[in-house]
Amino acid sequence: MSKILAITNQKGGVGKTTTTVNLAASLVAAQQRVLLIDLDPQGNATMGSGIEKRDLQASVYDVLIARKTIAQARQAAGAGGYDVLPANRELAGAEIELVDVLNREMRLRDALQLVINEYDYVLIDCPPALNLLTLNGLCAAKTVMIPMQCEYYALEGLSDLVNTIRKVRANLNPVLEIEGLLRTMFDPRNALAQQVSAQLEEHFGDKVYKTVIPRNIRLAEAPSYGVPALVHDKTSKGTTAYLALAAEMLQALTQTTVAI
Ligand code: ATP
Ligand code: MG
């Protein structure tokens, strides 16, 4: 069964895109077939995967308005080894175009059905907003990964997001679950970060990934080369952390399968 994850947090700049791109490459390194869906008009995951967002023949926008299928709009992210359903600024118009469309929040989910058997993992990079695009991501997904920085206001935003996920589950996507909270850009020397991290573990228990993503310059540099950190510097701390995250996810999967 394919795993479909929405990587989401309405807060900007918390590491959603960095996580989506590097997790995609790390899962490929673990022999998984991966589709990355860029649902953000900023197109950062597209560019970070080495695809020029200004030159797209087709994008996730065409898929949402049912002008193209995913098979027609996807591209290979050469270096990362995964497929990308790319995005650019055009996607910002989708919200308005879909206003009168029935089941407009199910567009991505429906389109995904046609290709889902080709992938082990589908990772959806959501924009920093709880809008129709994110809603499409949450309706297509089975689980949600929440990247977050361990700072004071992070916890406040988290309860809004958890409430949204509850509402989506109640009204639109009954199977939706939180897969895990991921601590990103972590600096162990920062006392507040340690404190927030401990609070997260206390409140969310095993929903917090054991793997912590450190602040690492290679992760910030890699997008300027259009490659995941794994390709840019395979020994960097950032690369190692995302490989560990992929391993943690795959191990959790085997354990659940055995439990059943
Ligand atoms: P947005 O909400 O705008 O989509 P985002 O949540 O996708 O942002 P990113 O774009 O992944 O966040 O990260 C924000 C910035 O922080 C980027 O410049 C990225 O390169 C940098 N960054 C992300 N994770 C790390 C890390 N672990 N170490 C160092 N820099 C990082
Ligand atoms: Mg982003």
Side-chain angles (χ1 to χ4, degrees), residues 9-20 40 42 44 125-129 147 149 184-186 213-223 238 242:
N9 190 333
Q10 77 278 19
K11 202 164 163 15
V14 295
K16 293 180 286 295
T17 302
T18 304
T19 297
T20 313
D40 188 344
Q42 295 180 101
N44 292 343
D125 185 22
C126 294
Q149 280 182 267
T184 59
M185 294 183 237
F186 193 75
I213 309 299
R215 190 171 279 286
N216 176 251
I217 188 70
R218 295 286 186 249
L219 288 171
E221 281 169 4
Y242 278 108

Side-chain angles (χ1 to χ4, degrees), residues 54-125:
R54 291 167 200 89
D55 300 339
L56 301 180
Q57 299 295 321
S59 73
V60 67
Y61 168 75
D62 299 289
V63 171
L64 290 177
I65 63 165
R67 190 159 67 186
K68 290 260 163 64
T69 61
I70 292 181
Q72 289 168 328
R74 70 186 163 192
Q75 292 190 37
Y82 51 92
D83 285 348
V84 181
L85 179 55
N88 59 20
R89 286 178 58 189
E90 212 182 12
L91 182 58
E95 189 124 14
I96 297 156
E97 289 205 35
L98 291 175
V99 158
D100 295 327
V101 175
L102 203 65
N103 283 339
R104 57 183 186 269
E105 57 287 317
M106 298 297 179
R107 285 302 181 106
L108 186 63
R109 188 192 72 174
D110 294 346
L112 206 45
Q113 298 310 315
L114 294 174
V115 293
I116 194 64
N117 291 333
E118 297 176 40
Y119 299 102
D120 300 304
Y121 277 88
V122 177
L123 306 180
I124 307 172
D125 185 22

